[in-house]
Amino acid sequence: MSVNKVILIGRAGKDPDVRTLDGGAKVASLSFATTDKAYTLQNGTQVPERTEWHNLIFWNKTAEIVEKYVHKGDKLYIEGKLRTRNYDDSKGVKRYITEVFVDSIEMLTPKVQQQAAPVPPPLPMQQPTQRQQQQVQQPAYQQQPYQQVSPPDDLPF
């Protein structure tokens, strides 16, 4: 038994490159970055941040989804398989490339929410008294109960 499964969470390094093949099938390719954060070992050694770049390949329906919805910088969850292929470069040297053939994708970047109506400006606030300012600066366990403050009479409501 063998398993060839890749799970990645990262960001799109560019907008996808989408092509339509002669038979009508779509294929999309995308550079994808995953980053390990920097950290410090117990002995004080600094380990710098490290970014790995992956080549993602999407076919048919997933290629159409990627074409419509994925843009540079979007955060994605990817599941797929590793595939390695080779080719000869312009100098005749055999080159190898490893790609992730994506089976499923989930968008992790939230959609931009459009506002239905403009947000009204904030209401003017009464300046806090010196006693209220002191209460804010004291730790929670030392604060006195808050006093009720009435809004100014010149507000429009």
Side-chain angles (χ1 to χ4, degrees):
M1 182 172 138
S2 65
V3 176
N4 182 357
K5 181 159 183 136
V6 176
I7 297 174
L8 299 172
I9 296 176
R11 295 197 179 268
K14 64 174 187 164
D15 287 343
D17 177 29
V18 183
R19 298 182 314 259
T20 303
L21 304 178
D22 292 338
K26 281 197 173 190
V27 62
S29 60
L30 177 68
S31 63
F32 191 70
T34 56
T35 302
D36 292 330
K37 298 292 182 192
Y39 59 94
T40 304
L41 297 174
Q42 287 182 345
N43 65 6
T45 304
Q46 298 275 334
V47 178
E49 180 177 273
R50 179 181 171 143
T51 300
E52 292 287 334
W53 288 93
H54 312 275
N55 300 308
L56 304 184
I57 306 296
F58 304 85
W59 286 93
N60 300 319
K61 191 66 175 171
T62 54
E64 292 174 15
I65 292 168
V66 166
E67 181 179 31
K68 287 181 184 178
Y69 300 110
V70 175
H71 305 287
K72 179 180 178 178
D74 285 350
K75 192 170 189 178
L76 306 172
Y77 171 89
I78 300 293
E79 289 186 18
K81 300 181 214 34
L82 285 179
R83 298 270 170 92
T84 303
R85 61 183 173 89
N86 60 51
Y87 65 95
D88 294 329
D89 69 6
S90 60
K91 297 179 182 175
V93 177
K94 186 170 282 219
R95 301 283 182 177
Y96 293 89
I97 186 167
T98 300
E99 299 165 322
V100 177
F101 276 55
V102 177
D103 295 325
S104 66
I105 178 174
E106 187 173 329
M107 313 309 183
L108 299 179
T109 300
K111 293 180 183 178
V112 177
Q113 296 179 356
Q114 296 178 354
Q115 295 178 353
V119 176
L123 297 173
M125 295 183 63
Q126 182 179 5
Q127 292 294 325
T129 64
Q130 185 177 11
R131 178 170 171 80
Q132 289 169 334
Q133 288 175 351
Q134 289 173 350
Q135 286 179 343
V136 171
Q137 295 170 356
Q138 293 176 348
Y141 63 87
Q142 293 179 352
Q143 290 182 2
Q144 300 297 321
Y146 288 101
Q147 296 177 357
Q148 182 71 24
V149 178
S150 301
D153 294 332
D154 61 343
L155 289 179
F157 53 86

